[in-house]
Amino acid sequence: MVTQEFEQRTRRLIDSLKAICAAYGLGNDGNEFKIITQAFLYKFLNDKFTFEAKKIRPELSQALTWEQAITSLTPDELEMLQLQMGADTARLKPEHFLAHLFGRQNEPEFAKLFDDTLRDIAITNNDIFAVKTDGGAKVTLFDRISEYISDPSKRDDFCRALINKLVEFSFERIFTQKYDFYASLFEYLIKDYNSNSGGKYAEYYTPHSVAKIMAAILVPSNVRGKIKNVSCYDPSAGSGTLLMNIAHAIGEQRCSIYSQDISQKSSSLLRLNLILNNLVHSIPHVIQGNTMLHPYHREGKGLKKFDYIVSNPPFKMDFSDFRNELDTREYQERFFAGVPGVPKQAVDKMAIYQLFLQHIIHSLKPGGKAAVVVPTGFITTQSGIDKKIRQHLVDNRMLAGVVSMPSNIFATTGTNVSILFIDTANKDEVVLIDASNLGTKVKDGKNQRTLLSDSEEDQIIAAFNEKEEVKDFSVVVGYELIATKNYSFSAGQYFDVSIEYADLTPNQFREKLQGFSESLEGLFSESKTLEAKIFSQVKSLGLK
């Protein structure tokens, strides 16, 4: 009940911040998401520091105002306090605290003070919280927020409005909560900034059901708590939904997160997601850049290999401006099945997922596992790069299975999707599941979306992990059989065909046959009448 109440209060805070932006002309503005997420993050970091400081020095919570108490600490005492805090807590100075800004809000040039404070926090914590680009530049935590207001005369009031809204709220009571709370909170925070309105490099929020199924199959319940010191990678990370799910399945302190995404917005959102979910130690591995052209994570001269890889890659995106660079000897080993050609029309529908999928296969460690969202057409295409990739997975015995999802599982795209599971250690049987008939259809804005219930998600997970065969739902097959089926990964092609028989007496059979004959006679007669009518109309037009 406390969590539900707090979640509602947090949502109201987010709505209030959006209302402030709207009041100052920034509603639905391209920079609104930066202001909302950075203001939210500033408050979160303040309260996390407060929470940790009071745990280490309980006497701080006994003071009339804790900010005054911490200000009274000597520089050595403050430094010792910060050293005792975890690496996921920002290093803050007394002048960084929200209460300090609140007390000075009526001073001239308050907007400059506000911006300078956030920038100093960013610089002080640059080594921990900065996201890197593939060229080595660092994207810091905070921008100069007030400068998004084009009229300088309104900047002070805008920053005062933000401060007065943030000071009414506290995260402290909720820091003991785990991932499920922050997952829904994060989704609400970014729901207006993570959609297909983003254009060419739009990020699509991966549905929770897809993320849950992927994590639960990659990390089954019987091995949770036993895995440690593993690497988890997403080459098209977006805001990090898939990475968060697998990290929490393994354990935040038992794994390191690695990512790359071409979108700076996505990388900033992923950083926020890592901060919310006690994965700050992985922020140095968050890279903003072109994974296909400039893969960043390396070991020596080669690409780094990972224990776990998850990805919901873009299915269609124009990469014609760098396509020819990929089709060279330098990239040949990674793109073993080939580089998609440029269509004569609709270059924005190039099958870029084929590149990501080959990159993922190339980036797996021996014994590594991966789960990748692919268009369902991939699992049956009988020629080209798709077929070569499937053949590679089968011939090298590194396929765990496939789950074909219901249509419209993504509200933002009508493409039917399947989840491809790769396991380089699986030399035995493969699980194929057809879950296309599950789910309930609901309206999601202007779109229709299919939602899976908890029991349906669990049904898929159990059938896969326990290798259950369920009539018209799941089947377990060997690699040799898949090869004879032209490397099809569609479960339906392996289901047993059953013929139902009905017991009829001779008289009943004759009656049914008579009924069919009479129906056919009627249809044939109607057909002749229609043919004559059509012929007559054509003749009247002078075309005969």
Side-chain angles (χ1 to χ4, degrees):
M1 185 61 123
V2 173
T3 301
Q4 287 181 336
E5 178 187 347
F6 188 84
E7 185 173 332
Q8 290 304 313
R9 288 181 56 212
T10 310
R11 290 182 177 217
R12 287 196 293 272
L13 168 67
I14 295 166
D15 291 341
S16 297
L17 294 174
K18 290 181 178 180
I20 291 170
C21 287
Y24 284 84
L26 293 171
N28 297 318
D29 181 89
N31 293 312
E32 183 191 18
F33 95 95
K34 297 180 182 178
I35 296 170
I36 300 296
T37 55
Q38 289 183 73
F40 185 90
L41 178 57
Y42 171 58
K43 178 60 176 171
F44 184 89
L45 294 178
N46 259 259
D47 291 351
K48 184 71 183 294
F49 186 98
T50 304
F51 176 78
E52 296 296 336
K54 289 178 180 178
K55 275 202 312 183
I56 295 167
R57 299 191 62 150
E59 71 273 14
L60 292 174
S61 60
Q62 306 303 317
L64 186 61
T65 62
W66 98 272
E67 290 88 356
Q68 289 180 353
I70 201 166
T71 302
S72 67
L73 296 178
T74 67
D76 287 344
E77 288 175 325
L78 184 58
E79 183 179 357
M80 179 57 67
L81 176 64
Q82 292 183 332
L83 288 173
Q84 290 176 281
M85 292 181 177
D88 58 346
T89 303
R91 302 297 182 254
L92 301 182
K93 307 169 187 175
E95 62 268 27
H96 290 159
F97 295 127
L98 187 62
H100 180 79
L101 287 178
F102 181 76
R104 297 182 61 184
Q105 64 177 296
N106 293 320
E107 294 182 10
E109 296 187 319
F110 177 68
K112 182 177 184 304
L113 174 63
F114 181 80
D115 287 342
D116 288 347
T117 299
L118 266 60
R119 290 294 295 169
D120 194 45
I121 294 172
I123 293 167
T124 302
N125 295 275
N126 209 30
D127 290 343
I128 303 171
F129 290 101
V131 167
K132 286 183 290 190
T133 69
D134 55 12
K138 289 189 174 182
V139 182
T140 56
L141 268 176
F142 298 115
D143 300 324
R144 304 190 73 83
I145 286 180
S146 75
E147 294 183 1
Y148 293 121
I149 302 294
S150 56
D151 185 348
S153 68
K154 296 181 179 179
R155 290 174 182 172
D156 287 352
D157 287 340
F158 175 70
C159 292
R160 289 187 190 105
L162 291 177
I163 287 294
N164 281 291
K165 185 54 62 179
L166 294 175
V167 82
E168 297 172 355
F169 184 86
S170 175
F171 282 103
E172 280 190 70
R173 291 177 55 207
I174 213 70
F175 280 120
T176 55
Q177 295 301 314
K178 294 290 286 181
Y179 171 65
D180 285 343
F181 168 74
Y182 288 110
S184 59
L185 194 63
F186 182 77
E187 183 171 1
Y188 188 78
L189 176 64
I190 69 168
K191 67 184 177 68
D192 294 329
Y193 316 125
N194 204 46
S195 66
N196 61 348
S197 61
K200 183 176 180 180
Y201 299 120
E203 302 84 7
Y204 297 100
Y205 190 90
T206 306
H208 180 263
S209 58
V210 173
K212 173 186 172 181
I213 290 167
M214 290 169 75
I217 290 175
L218 287 177
V219 189
S221 57
N222 64 327
V223 302
R224 296 192 177 189
K226 301 175 183 178
I227 302 170
K228 59 183 180 180
N229 299 325
V230 294
S231 55
C232 304
Y233 174 54
D234 188 337
S236 55
S239 53
T241 304
L242 297 179
L243 285 170
M244 295 306 104
N245 274 266
I246 192 167
H248 288 289
I250 295 168
E252 299 94 332
Q253 304 308 313
R254 293 172 173 268
C255 66
S256 294
I257 298 296
Y258 293 80
S259 75
Q260 191 164 345
D261 197 287
I262 199 167
S263 166
Q264 183 172 316
K265 179 174 76 172
S266 289
S267 299
S268 295
L269 292 175
L270 173 56
R271 171 172 55 191
L272 173 59
N273 217 351
L274 291 170
I275 292 170
L276 291 178
N277 288 286
N278 293 322
L279 286 158
V280 170
H281 62 274
S282 289
I283 290 177
H285 307 315
V286 175
I287 303 301
Q288 184 255 309
N290 187 328
T291 309
M292 296 299 97
L293 193 59
H294 303 297
Y296 181 85
H297 300 292
R298 294 181 173 273
E299 288 177 341
K301 294 183 179 180
L303 294 185
K304 182 176 175 61
K305 306 292 185 178
F306 300 94
D307 297 291
Y308 293 92
I309 303 178
V310 288
S311 182
N312 174 22
F315 290 176
K316 300 171 183 177
M317 192 177 86
D318 177 10
F319 60 95
S320 57
D321 53 345
F322 61 88
R323 187 263 172 205
N324 290 341
E325 291 184 63
L326 301 177
D327 198 11
T328 60
R329 184 180 298 275
E330 178 185 354
Y331 296 92
Q332 195 169 16
E333 182 182 2
R334 186 160 54 124
F335 302 126
F336 57 87
V339 176
V342 179
K344 293 181 180 179
Q345 296 178 335
V347 293
D348 59 328
K349 294 184 179 180
M350 295 175 70
I352 193 170
Y353 74 89
Q354 295 174 338
L355 296 177
F356 275 95
L357 189 47
Q358 292 177 80
H359 172 79
I360 288 166
I361 294 169
H362 180 75
S363 300
L364 273 175
K365 278 184 179 179
K369 298 181 179 183
V372 189
V373 179
V374 295
T376 292
F378 162 81
I379 69 176
T380 55
T381 303
Q382 291 305 307
S383 61
I385 293 174
D386 286 344
K387 171 76 175 295
K388 290 178 182 178
I389 294 173
R390 296 202 315 272
Q391 186 170 350
H392 178 91
L393 292 172
V394 172
D395 291 351
N396 289 278
R397 293 179 176 260
M398 53 191 304
L399 175 66
V402 175
V403 178
S404 295
M405 300 297 286
S407 60
N408 300 114
I409 199 75
F410 286 81
T412 51
T413 174
T415 304
N416 289 342
V417 305
S418 295
I419 308 173
L420 175 70
F421 291 91
I422 303 169
D423 182 351
T424 58
N426 182 46
K427 307 303 179 184
D428 192 9
E429 294 176 314
V430 173
V431 182
L432 303 176
I433 294 178
D434 180 0
S436 60
N437 293 320
L438 300 184
T440 303
K441 297 190 184 308
V442 298
K443 287 290 289 182
D444 188 349
K446 297 180 180 179
N447 301 309
Q448 181 173 268
R449 183 175 177 182
T450 302
L451 298 179
L452 293 176
S453 66
D454 290 343
S455 61
E456 288 173 326
E457 293 167 0
D458 293 340
Q459 178 187 357
I460 294 169
I461 294 165
F464 199 107
N465 287 342
E466 296 169 22
K467 293 192 172 183
E468 294 178 339
E469 289 200 336
V470 179
K471 186 176 183 295
D472 295 334
F473 177 73
S474 60
V475 64
V476 181
V477 298
Y479 285 108
E480 293 79 6
L481 180 57
I482 296 175
T484 64
K485 293 280 189 178
N486 212 11
Y487 298 95
S488 171
F489 293 174
S490 172
Q493 294 197 22
Y494 299 88
F495 291 152
D496 290 332
V497 178
S498 58
I499 301 174
E500 296 185 3
Y501 295 91
D503 292 328
L504 298 175
T505 64
N507 287 336
Q508 289 172 328
F509 177 75
R510 281 192 293 270
E511 288 174 4
K512 277 188 173 291
L513 194 60
Q514 180 64 31
F516 293 149
S517 298
E518 291 173 356
S519 295
L520 282 172
E521 287 177 5
L523 290 171
F524 288 152
S525 176
E526 185 179 356
S527 174
K528 289 179 181 178
T529 302
L530 289 171
E531 286 176 6
K533 187 175 181 180
I534 292 169
F535 183 82
S536 175
Q537 290 177 344
V538 170
K539 189 175 182 180
S540 69
L541 294 172
L543 300 177
K544 182 70 178 176

